[in-house]
Amino acid sequence: MFSDETIDLLKRIYLKIAEVKKVSRYVYLRGQSFSGWDLKPKISRPDYKLTLLDENNLFIDFKSRSELIVGDENSWNVLFRMQHYGLPTRLLDWSESLNVSLFFASEGKSHAEEEGAVWILNPFIMNGLHLKTSVVPIIPFLEGGVEFDYFQHIADVSKLTKLEPPTDKYIGSKVIAILPRKTNPRMLNQQAAFTLHENLDQSMEDIQDQTTRTNGKKYLEKIVISPKIKEEIREMLKLGGVDEFSLFPDIEGLANQLNKKLKKK
């Protein structure tokens, strides 16, 4: 039913996941419909390039207005909601699900004829190198149940603009892996995970290259997907019940899925 190329791709991904699982409780996966995109958060892209003040104002504006719809939330949940609705943040989307990553790697008409990719991240090794401790913080609470407020420690311009290095051990790292509490259906169904980027100038690939020159440890790998098998992957996922509405279980997701069905007729 499926081509040898698709089967070979899945084997290579599963072998890499198994390799990471030997040393890490978690495996982070990210699907991209175009393999040439750097692993950088939206806020660092050329069409945004927000100043620290812009970033601060965007956060405050979204939080104050969204409270009328979702109520008062802690600053991390505000940040996660901003990310899932497409606003530029310091977060980069990952998933703990291979099916979710394959969905995003094979979707998108604008890149249907180009190579996609699935990125595989070992968050334990990366955090061990950047945080000096091999843990993946569950946000908004860290080890010992100590609350770590995003706005107070990261989005606060008065802290970010200081020249001296931050003192909090969870700040000042180039990039770290975090796990959110699944507070909305999208995050739950997509098995959401994130990397949080303090360094907005460098991609994760470049940061890894610098790190491995020092200690030799790699934590990130890309597996390229041929455009020839993207449609086959989408069909495979449909058989497993993975589609637009299953990953975006709201009115917007339903409308997008129905629109896609109509365009195929």
Side-chain angles (χ1 to χ4, degrees):
M1 185 175 183
F2 300 113
S3 68
D4 290 342
E5 189 171 359
T6 297
I7 293 170
D8 179 65
L9 171 76
L10 295 175
K11 283 182 178 178
R12 286 189 291 125
I13 294 174
Y14 276 117
L15 285 172
K16 185 60 185 177
I17 290 173
E19 181 185 323
V20 174
K21 279 285 191 181
K22 289 179 181 177
V23 295
S24 173
R25 179 180 173 186
Y26 303 106
V27 180
Y28 281 20
L29 301 130
R30 176 177 169 82
Q32 296 185 165
S33 59
F34 176 54
S35 67
W37 285 327
D38 289 334
L39 292 178
K40 297 175 75 174
K42 193 173 188 176
I43 199 170
S44 67
R45 295 176 190 170
D47 48 340
Y48 286 101
K49 282 291 183 182
L50 303 185
T51 66
L52 293 173
L53 183 59
D54 292 334
E55 182 181 355
N56 182 276
N57 288 340
L58 176 64
F59 184 93
I60 294 172
D61 198 17
F62 182 84
K63 176 171 170 52
S64 61
R65 296 191 188 195
S66 65
E67 284 179 0
L68 298 172
I69 304 168
V70 298
D72 188 18
E73 295 185 301
N74 70 56
S75 65
W76 282 105
N77 288 342
V78 173
L79 181 71
F80 298 151
R81 198 176 294 278
M82 289 173 67
Q83 176 72 6
H84 272 278
Y85 284 98
L87 287 169
T89 75
R90 290 175 178 267
L91 298 174
L92 187 66
D93 288 309
W94 295 78
S95 174
E96 295 183 81
S97 165
L98 174 57
N99 282 347
V100 172
S101 64
L102 286 172
F103 175 86
F104 288 110
S106 60
E107 280 292 298
K109 282 191 174 182
S110 60
H111 297 286
E113 303 303 319
E114 297 177 284
E115 290 181 334
V118 169
W119 285 93
I120 303 172
L121 170 68
N122 185 326
F124 272 34
I125 289 181
M126 186 178 75
N127 282 7
L129 294 169
H130 295 170
L131 288 177
K132 309 305 180 188
T133 175
S134 295
V135 298
V136 178
I138 298 175
I139 303 295
F141 297 101
L142 302 176
E143 291 178 286
V146 178
E147 186 165 357
F148 174 62
D149 183 86
Y150 172 80
F151 183 76
Q152 180 182 352
H153 290 282
I154 296 178
D156 187 333
V157 172
S158 65
K159 295 181 185 296
L160 282 171
T161 52
K162 288 183 178 179
L163 295 178
E164 65 268 27
T167 55
D168 192 293
K169 71 172 183 175
Y170 288 98
I171 308 171
S173 301
K174 292 179 178 179
V175 55
I176 63 170
I178 61 174
L179 266 181
R181 296 188 180 276
K182 311 300 191 288
T183 55
N184 65 64
R186 286 189 178 196
M187 294 174 71
L188 181 64
N189 287 20
Q190 293 177 27
Q191 297 186 44
F194 299 110
T195 45
L196 175 64
H197 296 245
E198 189 263 350
N199 185 325
L200 298 179
D201 296 321
Q202 288 183 294
S203 68
M204 289 182 68
E205 309 96 284
D206 290 340
I207 292 171
Q208 174 175 252
D209 288 344
Q210 286 184 348
T211 306
T212 51
R213 283 198 293 269
T214 304
N215 54 53
K217 289 185 179 179
K218 284 194 172 184
Y219 48 80
L220 186 64
E221 185 168 324
K222 177 168 72 172
I223 296 180
V224 174
I225 298 175
S226 166
K228 294 186 296 182
I229 62 172
K230 282 186 175 182
E231 186 173 353
E232 197 171 290
I233 289 172
R234 290 195 296 271
E235 292 302 316
M236 177 191 71
L237 293 172
K238 284 179 186 176
L239 290 174
V242 180
D243 56 27
E244 188 92 18
F245 187 43
S246 71
L247 299 185
F248 299 90
D250 48 35
I251 297 299
E252 182 183 3
L254 175 60
N256 287 338
Q257 182 180 327
L258 293 176
N259 267 325
K260 285 182 180 179
K261 282 187 177 180
L262 290 171
K263 289 176 181 177
K264 286 180 180 179
K265 291 185 178 180

